[in-house]
Amino acid sequence: MDITPEHLVGLFPAPTPQDSKYTRGVVGLITGTQEYPGAGILSASAAASCGAGYVRYSGPPEARMALLMNHPEIVLSARPGQRIDAWVVGSGFPGLFRTETSEDKDRGADVISILSSLDDMDSFAVVDAGALEAFAVADFEARNCARCVITPHQGEVERLLHLLGDELPAHYPQQNRTATALYLAQKLGCTVVFKGARTVVAGADGTMFTCPEATHWLATAGSGDVLAGIMGAMIALNAAKLQDKPEMLSQVAAAAVCVHSLAAGMVSEDIYSMHEWLHSHESDDFDDDEDDFEDSDEDAEFSKQISELRRLMGIPEIPDKTDASVSLGQGSEDIPESSDAEASDMPDGELTEGHQIILMDLIRALPHAMLILRYTGDDIMDTLNPQNPDEFGQFGGVGGYPGFPFRFGGPLQ
Ligand SMILES: NC(=O)C1=CN([C@@H]2O[C@H](COP(=O)(O)OP(=O)(O)OC[C@H]3O[C@@H](n4cnc5c(N)ncnc54)[C@H](O)[C@@H]3O)[C@@H](O)[C@H]2O)[C@@H](O)CC1
Ligand SMILES: Nc1ncnc2c1ncn2[C@@H]1O[C@H](COP(=O)(O)OP(=O)(O)O)[C@@H](O)[C@H]1O
């Protein structure tokens, strides 16, 4: 099924008086190696910026130093046996046992140990990049696999199948990504996030989610590491729910893909598809009680945040199709020329209360995810408009977003 905006509702719970840093999701990351310290920085920054209550990190000294400078809230130790809701392992590992330093090799061994004890520790894991090898070397029990989300790209799917001494059955068309993801999910008994322009997510129980096609500006080194961190944080935030309903793991993984892709759309200003997606699924569930939003301070704050997000998303400009095609940047050439019939198909720029609730959830995660993507996305920005870098002046509002933390050297320009 398509993942819809409604699937994101409730996945970013706001803190309550009963909460502590431990109840708001503890993420542990073993990511980054001497060769790829950046993957550690990107994944851990993403996890810390996506609302997790507590982030612990283990990686090479360069990554630890950068994280200390930019995210002093991250604790620089993550080991087997610690109480962690969601692990993120493997980003920046060329392979668990093909790392260069003895420290990295020790961390590879830690990854195996962690993945082997997920069920005993009530933990979940996002298994990325080099850690995918664990499935070939360790004899995981099904109960542990069920707690894993693996995040391979095409090359890693092929490599993993090769390591497993397997190949796709002949009747699986090479290009059928959905069938491939499902095959792997059922073979390994885990959730598979098969990354690509249109990422597909398959649960071992046969659940399938297709995510909206992401902006192609995401095709840049490091964006998968950011996704792993966002996903770890979202799983940790929802760990209590997932203990009761483990079948939700594929939904949370797919929702993380959406947050990543929405943030990338905003960062690259390729926002037309995101806008369309948010408007593509009307929800009747929220329309009944219009008084909910009236006459309260929360209402005022809510409206302020919604207006800000609408502004960032360019929503006010959408009703005028001509303006929209000018302002939305890459992808806007797909918007058809004006005609009454086509105009009626355009989003009308109005948000229903259902949409507003969804956006409220997104507001909690997106600005932070955007910042992380901005950090990885210097190349995106440079490539996007090499002639006129000042064009991004209009995006300066992002830097001034309420509560937006100015990390990594200040606001966006
Ligand atoms: N700054 C950093 O620290 C970066 C770290 N990275 C991490 O470093 C590790 C290795 O990344 P590399 O970029 O060296 O190699 P990859 O693991 O991305 O690629 C390994 C092999 O897979 C193939 N491949 C990659 N993407 C493919 C696709 N979409 N379809 C088909 N084949 C594909 C490549 O040709 C290559 O042979 C990964 O763990 C990754 O998480 C990368 O994210 C790059 C940036
Ligand atoms: N052409 C594309 N269009 C949209 N999204 C893409 C495209 N190519 C890659 N992506 C997304 O970018 C991310 C790349 O991750 P990955 O391949 O692991 O790269 P890296 O290891 O360098 O981080 C994934 O989330 C993937 O879905």
Side-chain angles (χ1 to χ4, degrees):
M1 79 184 94
D2 285 346
I3 183 122
T4 69
E6 283 77 12
H7 285 115
L8 276 68
V9 172
L11 295 185
F12 296 100
T16 67
Q18 288 72 41
D19 271 316
S20 76
K21 59 192 175 189
Y22 294 109
T23 60
R24 299 201 49 240
V26 185
V27 185
L29 299 102
I30 301 190
T31 54
T33 51
Q34 185 194 46
E35 199 181 351
Y36 297 96
I41 302 168
L42 293 169
S43 53
S45 302
S49 299
C50 251
Y54 201 138
V55 178
R56 307 188 73 108
Y57 176 75
S58 170
E62 297 82 354
R64 293 204 301 268
M65 187 52 71
L67 286 169
L68 183 64
M69 301 301 287
N70 293 297
H71 282 279
E73 72 275 25
I74 295 179
V75 174
L76 298 176
S77 83
R79 290 186 293 277
Q82 286 172 337
R83 193 59 223 280
I84 302 283
D85 294 311
W87 286 98
V88 178
V89 293
S91 316
F93 277 71
L96 282 179
F97 307 103
R98 286 181 283 125
T99 48
E100 287 178 6
T101 68
S102 57
E103 253 197 69
D104 286 341
K105 287 189 198 334
D106 288 348
R107 277 192 280 270
D110 280 353
V111 167
I112 297 283
S113 163
I114 285 162
L115 293 180
S116 305
S117 59
L118 293 174
D119 199 51
D120 294 337
M121 300 298 293
D122 289 338
S123 305
F124 296 90
V126 177
V127 185
D128 191 31
L132 292 166
E133 278 187 2
F135 284 87
V137 296
D139 187 14
F140 287 127
E141 293 182 38
R143 61 200 183 113
N144 286 317
C145 290
R147 290 175 168 271
C148 291
V149 180
I150 67 171
T151 54
H153 56 53
Q154 178 76 37
E156 287 163 342
V157 164
E158 287 164 18
R159 187 169 145 68
L160 181 56
L161 284 167
H162 177 73
L163 285 173
L164 293 167
D166 196 3
E167 54 187 32
L168 289 174
H171 64 277
Y172 276 64
Q174 184 68 24
Q175 299 312 318
N176 189 335
R177 297 167 49 76
T178 307
T180 304
L182 195 57
Y183 177 76
L184 255 186
Q186 292 185 328
K187 180 175 180 65
L188 296 175
C190 65
T191 296
V192 175
V193 174
F194 187 176
K195 294 183 292 194
R198 185 181 290 279
T199 294
V200 293
V201 178
D205 60 359
T207 316
M208 290 290 316
F209 286 107
T210 310
C211 302
E213 188 169 84
T215 173
H216 309 311
W217 297 107
L218 256 188
T220 189
S223 57
D225 307 324
V226 174
L227 174 65
I230 292 174
M231 200 173 285
M234 287 183 63
I235 293 172
L237 275 167
N238 293 285
K241 260 180 257 171
L242 286 167
Q243 301 296 352
D244 293 338
K245 288 181 141 192
E247 68 277 9
M248 270 185 70
L249 190 56
S250 50
Q251 179 189 330
V252 177
V257 173
C258 285
V259 168
H260 183 240
S261 132
L262 292 170
M266 293 171 85
V267 169
S268 64
E269 293 198 328
D270 182 9
I271 58 175
Y272 179 69
S273 57
M274 174 177 64
H275 177 90
E276 194 175 42
W277 181 71
L278 282 168
H279 281 77
S280 62
H281 297 274
E282 295 292 337
S283 166
D284 298 329
D285 298 349
F286 307 104
D287 291 341
D288 305 339
D289 195 359
E290 293 191 358
D291 293 341
D292 277 359
F293 291 101
E294 283 178 6
D295 300 331
S296 69
D297 288 349
E298 283 122 304
D299 185 28
E301 181 57 24
F302 179 85
S303 302
K304 204 170 103 196
Q305 290 186 309
I306 289 293
S307 327
E308 181 64 4
L309 192 64
R310 287 173 69 129
R311 189 180 70 73
L312 292 175
M313 293 170 71
I315 287 173
E317 300 175 51
I318 294 295
D320 183 334
K321 195 161 45 166
T322 316
D323 283 349
S325 65
V326 170
S327 65
L328 291 175
Q330 199 263 352
S332 58
E333 54 278 325
D334 297 333
I335 300 174
E337 288 301 311
S338 183
S339 84
D340 286 345
E342 285 159 350
S344 66
D345 292 330
M346 290 295 291
D348 64 6
E350 291 304 315
L351 294 177
T352 64
E353 279 185 25
H355 288 130
Q356 293 192 349
I357 290 172
I358 290 156
L359 287 176
M360 199 60 194
D361 273 357
L362 285 173
I363 283 168
R364 297 201 184 101
L366 271 179
H368 307 293
M370 284 166 63
L371 182 62
I372 295 302
L373 278 158
R374 172 66 180 79
Y375 181 57
T376 102
D378 280 335
D379 291 346
I380 298 182
M381 303 302 254
D382 293 342
T383 322
L384 186 55
N385 203 344
Q387 270 87 40
N388 185 11
D390 290 343
E391 187 87 341
F392 292 108
Q394 64 179 286
F395 216 54
V398 174
Y401 189 82
F404 202 73
F406 294 144
R407 301 196 203 271
F408 305 126
L412 311 185
Q413 330 124 30

